[in-house]
Amino acid sequence: MDCVNCREPMIVLEVDQVEIDYCLECGGIWLDSGELGILLDDDDIVAEFLEKPVMTNHVRESERLCPECEKNLNELLVDPDNGIYIDRCADRHGLFFDRGELKQVIGLFRTETSKKVASLLKDIFRGDKID
């Protein structure tokens, strides 16, 4: 799969039994549909998070294309306080995170599982500018 941001080939990493497509060039991460829920061990909390009313008022079309259906991704404002947008396929094929965004988004959940996953990501991307 090529990166939706810079079009360079992505590598596949396995984190806590979830395949993460990672771009060595720009640090972007693609998660297929449902993989964020698997990482956090709670599909319902992720679905609720992605459908919060605040975000439906803050959705804009991205120039980036979904690697599955090649339609424009939507940018969702997931953290108004810090201005964090993530890219999501309108047909729910997956999510794209720019460098460091996945760790920031996981930190928003504030659960024991999210703390473990954030720590794991920090270890994996040590030396990268994910923090």
Side-chain angles (χ1 to χ4, degrees), residues 87-98:
D87 296 273
R88 180 180 71 181
C89 172
D91 291 337
R92 309 294 198 263
H93 289 125
L95 302 167
F96 182 77
F97 302 87
D98 288 302

Side-chain angles (χ1 to χ4, degrees), residues 57-100:
N57 295 329
H58 295 88
V59 178
R60 59 188 184 202
E61 188 171 276
S62 169
E63 293 182 11
R64 297 170 172 170
L65 302 177
C66 172
E68 297 290 327
C69 65
E70 300 188 359
K71 294 179 184 174
N72 289 80
L73 297 173
N74 289 326
E75 291 181 312
L76 305 175
L77 179 62
V78 296
D79 183 4
D81 294 336
N82 295 304
I84 299 172
Y85 282 85
I86 61 172
D87 296 273
R88 180 180 71 181
C89 172
D91 291 337
R92 309 294 198 263
H93 289 125
L95 302 167
F96 182 77
F97 302 87
D98 288 302
R99 181 186 305 269

Side-chain angles (χ1 to χ4, degrees), residues 5-27:
N5 180 47
C6 67
R7 299 287 181 207
E8 292 295 319
M10 299 179 90
I11 63 169
V12 178
L13 304 171
E14 188 170 313
V15 177
D16 205 19
Q17 301 179 347
V18 174
E19 288 187 356
I20 291 177
D21 294 288
Y22 176 71
C23 180
L24 293 170
E25 186 67 26
C26 72

Side-chain angles (χ1 to χ4, degrees), residues 18-63:
V18 174
E19 288 187 356
I20 291 177
D21 294 288
Y22 176 71
C23 180
L24 293 170
E25 186 67 26
C26 72
I29 291 174
W30 175 264
L31 293 180
D32 289 332
S33 180
E35 289 181 330
L36 183 58
I38 294 170
L39 270 178
L40 296 173
D41 198 26
D42 193 332
D43 284 334
D44 292 337
I45 193 171
V46 172
E48 181 181 331
F49 170 77
L50 292 174
E51 300 300 332
K52 286 192 306 193
V54 66
M55 289 182 293
T56 58
N57 295 329
H58 295 88
V59 178
R60 59 188 184 202
E61 188 171 276
S62 169
E63 293 182 11

